[in-house]
Amino acid sequence: MIVLGLLLIVLAGATVIAVSWDETAASTTTATFTMFDRVIQLTQLELFFAGVATGAVLLLGLGIMFAGMRRSSAHRRRLRTSRAEARDRVIRLEEEKRELERKLEATPATPTASTAPAAPVVDRDRDGVDDRAEDTAPHPRVEVPRQPSTDQLVAGRHGRPDHH
Protein backbone atom coordinates (compact mmCIF):
# COMPACT_ATOMS: atom_id res chain seq x y z
CA MET A 1 0.00 0.00 0.00
CA ILE A 2 2.82 2.40 0.91
CA VAL A 3 4.77 1.43 -2.21
CA LEU A 4 1.73 2.18 -4.37
CA GLY A 5 1.36 5.61 -2.75
CA LEU A 6 5.03 6.43 -3.32
CA LEU A 7 4.77 5.26 -6.93
CA LEU A 8 1.77 7.57 -7.50
CA ILE A 9 3.63 10.52 -5.96
CA VAL A 10 6.68 9.91 -8.20
CA LEU A 11 4.43 9.56 -11.25
CA ALA A 12 2.62 12.81 -10.43
CA GLY A 13 5.94 14.62 -9.97
CA ALA A 14 7.21 13.32 -13.30
CA THR A 15 4.01 14.46 -15.01
CA VAL A 16 4.36 17.98 -13.54
CA ILE A 17 7.95 18.20 -14.77
CA ALA A 18 7.05 16.89 -18.24
CA VAL A 19 4.17 19.34 -18.68
CA SER A 20 6.09 22.34 -17.35
CA TRP A 21 9.15 21.65 -19.57
CA ASP A 22 7.08 21.54 -22.70
CA GLU A 23 7.42 25.32 -23.10
CA THR A 24 6.11 25.53 -26.65
CA ALA A 25 2.82 23.77 -25.87
CA ALA A 26 2.45 25.52 -22.52
CA SER A 27 2.95 29.01 -23.90
CA THR A 28 1.20 28.93 -27.29
CA THR A 29 -1.74 26.54 -27.13
CA THR A 30 -4.78 27.68 -25.18
CA ALA A 31 -8.04 25.95 -24.49
CA THR A 32 -11.24 28.00 -24.39
CA PHE A 33 -14.16 27.13 -22.10
CA THR A 34 -17.49 28.85 -21.54
CA MET A 35 -18.92 28.55 -18.04
CA PHE A 36 -21.90 30.53 -16.74
CA ASP A 37 -21.75 32.83 -19.78
CA ARG A 38 -18.07 33.59 -19.16
CA VAL A 39 -15.25 32.63 -21.51
CA ILE A 40 -12.15 31.16 -19.85
CA GLN A 41 -8.88 30.60 -21.72
CA LEU A 42 -6.27 28.34 -20.15
CA THR A 43 -2.85 27.19 -21.34
CA GLN A 44 -1.96 23.51 -21.12
CA LEU A 45 0.01 24.09 -17.91
CA GLU A 46 -2.88 25.99 -16.27
CA LEU A 47 -5.31 23.30 -17.41
CA PHE A 48 -3.04 20.62 -15.94
CA PHE A 49 -2.88 22.38 -12.55
CA ALA A 50 -6.67 22.85 -12.60
CA GLY A 51 -6.98 19.08 -13.07
CA VAL A 52 -4.52 18.49 -10.21
CA ALA A 53 -6.57 20.76 -7.92
CA THR A 54 -9.79 18.98 -8.94
CA GLY A 55 -8.20 15.59 -8.25
CA ALA A 56 -6.95 16.78 -4.86
CA VAL A 57 -10.44 17.96 -3.90
CA LEU A 58 -11.84 14.61 -5.05
CA LEU A 59 -9.30 12.67 -2.97
CA LEU A 60 -10.00 14.87 0.05
CA GLY A 61 -13.73 14.24 -0.29
CA LEU A 62 -13.19 10.49 -0.60
CA GLY A 63 -10.94 10.52 2.46
CA ILE A 64 -13.56 12.36 4.52
CA MET A 65 -16.27 9.97 3.31
CA PHE A 66 -14.25 6.84 4.20
CA ALA A 67 -13.30 8.30 7.61
CA GLY A 68 -16.99 8.87 8.34
CA MET A 69 -17.81 5.32 7.27
CA ARG A 70 -15.11 3.94 9.60
CA ARG A 71 -16.39 6.07 12.47
CA SER A 72 -20.02 5.04 12.03
CA SER A 73 -18.97 1.38 11.67
CA ALA A 74 -17.05 1.58 14.97
CA HIS A 75 -20.05 3.29 16.59
CA ARG A 76 -22.40 0.51 15.40
CA ARG A 77 -19.95 -2.12 16.67
CA ARG A 78 -19.80 -0.48 20.13
CA LEU A 79 -23.60 -0.22 20.19
CA ARG A 80 -23.97 -3.88 19.23
CA THR A 81 -21.57 -5.03 21.99
CA SER A 82 -23.26 -2.76 24.54
CA ARG A 83 -26.66 -4.25 23.69
CA ALA A 84 -25.26 -7.78 23.93
CA GLU A 85 -23.75 -7.01 27.36
CA ALA A 86 -27.07 -5.57 28.57
CA ARG A 87 -28.91 -8.64 27.28
CA ASP A 88 -26.43 -10.91 29.10
CA ARG A 89 -26.89 -8.92 32.34
CA VAL A 90 -30.67 -9.28 32.09
CA ILE A 91 -30.37 -13.03 31.52
CA ARG A 92 -28.05 -13.39 34.55
CA LEU A 93 -30.42 -11.34 36.73
CA GLU A 94 -33.40 -13.43 35.64
CA GLU A 95 -31.50 -16.65 36.45
CA GLU A 96 -30.51 -15.25 39.84
CA LYS A 97 -34.14 -14.28 40.51
CA ARG A 98 -35.36 -17.78 39.64
CA GLU A 99 -32.70 -19.30 41.92
CA LEU A 100 -33.71 -17.05 44.82
CA GLU A 101 -37.38 -17.92 44.26
CA ARG A 102 -36.52 -21.64 44.36
CA LYS A 103 -34.58 -21.13 47.61
CA LEU A 104 -37.47 -19.14 49.10
CA GLU A 105 -39.95 -21.89 48.21
CA ALA A 106 -37.65 -24.56 49.68
CA THR A 107 -37.22 -22.88 53.11
CA PRO A 108 -40.12 -23.20 55.57
CA ALA A 109 -41.82 -20.00 56.64
CA THR A 110 -40.98 -19.07 60.24
CA PRO A 111 -42.65 -16.21 62.07
CA THR A 112 -40.29 -13.33 62.69
CA ALA A 113 -40.49 -10.08 64.56
CA SER A 114 -41.38 -8.31 61.33
CA THR A 115 -44.66 -10.24 61.07
CA ALA A 116 -45.76 -9.11 64.55
CA PRO A 117 -48.48 -6.44 64.61
CA ALA A 118 -47.04 -2.96 64.32
CA ALA A 119 -47.32 -0.49 67.18
CA PRO A 120 -49.97 2.17 66.64
CA VAL A 121 -48.75 5.40 65.12
CA VAL A 122 -48.68 7.96 67.90
CA ASP A 123 -46.78 10.79 66.24
CA ARG A 124 -49.06 11.73 63.36
CA ASP A 125 -47.81 15.30 62.98
CA ARG A 126 -44.16 14.10 63.10
CA ASP A 127 -43.00 16.66 65.59
CA GLY A 128 -41.23 14.08 67.74
CA VAL A 129 -43.85 14.24 70.52
CA ASP A 130 -46.33 11.48 71.36
CA ASP A 131 -49.68 12.79 70.10
CA ARG A 132 -51.56 10.96 72.89
CA ALA A 133 -50.00 13.28 75.47
CA GLU A 134 -50.66 16.52 73.53
CA ASP A 135 -53.54 18.85 74.29
CA THR A 136 -56.07 18.56 71.47
CA ALA A 137 -58.06 21.66 72.30
CA PRO A 138 -58.75 24.00 69.37
CA HIS A 139 -56.17 26.67 68.76
CA PRO A 140 -57.15 30.27 69.41
CA ARG A 141 -58.40 32.05 66.34
CA VAL A 142 -56.33 34.99 65.15
CA GLU A 143 -58.31 37.85 63.63
CA VAL A 144 -56.82 39.61 60.63
CA PRO A 145 -58.17 43.12 59.91
CA ARG A 146 -59.83 43.55 56.51
CA GLN A 147 -57.93 45.55 53.94
CA PRO A 148 -59.75 48.08 51.76
CA SER A 149 -60.07 46.83 48.19
CA THR A 150 -58.42 48.98 45.53
CA ASP A 151 -59.15 46.57 42.71
CA GLN A 152 -61.30 47.99 39.94
CA LEU A 153 -62.99 46.32 37.04
CA VAL A 154 -60.82 46.65 33.96
CA ALA A 155 -63.12 45.54 31.13
CA GLY A 156 -66.23 47.62 31.90
CA ARG A 157 -66.88 51.30 32.53
CA HIS A 158 -66.51 50.94 36.28
CA GLY A 159 -63.73 53.02 37.79
CA ARG A 160 -63.00 54.81 34.52
CA PRO A 161 -64.05 58.35 33.68
CA ASP A 162 -66.32 58.83 30.67
CA HIS A 163 -64.66 60.55 27.73
CA HIS A 164 -67.15 61.68 25.08
Side-chain angles (χ1 to χ4, degrees):
M1 189 69 172
I2 295 174
V3 174
L4 181 63
L6 289 175
L7 181 64
L8 288 175
I9 291 173
V10 169
L11 184 62
T15 306
V16 168
I17 292 171
V19 170
S20 63
W21 275 358
D22 188 8
E23 293 176 16
T24 57
S27 62
T28 58
T29 308
T30 60
T32 305
F33 300 99
T34 304
M35 290 179 14
F36 304 115
D37 295 332
R38 298 184 85 178
V39 177
I40 300 172
Q41 291 184 344
L42 299 174
T43 64
Q44 279 187 345
L45 185 61
E46 292 170 337
L47 188 61
F48 173 77
F49 284 123
V52 168
T54 304
V57 169
L58 174 73
L59 289 178
L60 179 66
L62 287 174
I64 290 172
M65 183 180 71
F66 287 130
M69 289 170 57
R70 270 193 310 273
R71 182 172 163 249
S72 67
S73 172
H75 178 71
R76 281 193 305 271
R77 193 176 316 115
R78 282 192 308 267
L79 189 61
R80 197 173 25 245
T81 58
S82 172
R83 286 179 180 164
E85 289 172 358
R87 196 171 32 248
D88 292 342
R89 268 194 312 270
V90 167
I91 290 171
R92 271 183 298 167
L93 286 172
E94 287 175 348
E95 289 173 358
E96 185 178 327
K97 177 186 169 207
R98 282 191 292 271
E99 180 64 30
L100 288 173
E101 286 173 345
R102 279 192 294 267
K103 285 181 181 178
L104 184 63
E105 290 173 358
T107 58
T110 57
T112 61
S114 65
T115 59
V121 178
V122 293
D123 188 17
R124 289 185 185 91
D125 57 358
R126 296 187 180 150
D127 61 353
V129 178
D130 189 352
D131 290 343
R132 293 178 291 184
E134 287 183 354
D135 183 21
T136 59
H139 298 291
R141 184 177 178 118
V142 177
E143 292 294 327
V144 178
R146 292 192 73 119
Q147 300 292 322
S149 176
T150 58
D151 292 340
Q152 296 181 355
L153 184 61
V154 175
R157 294 185 161 261
H158 303 285
R160 183 174 70 174
D162 278 341
H163 295 291
H164 290 283

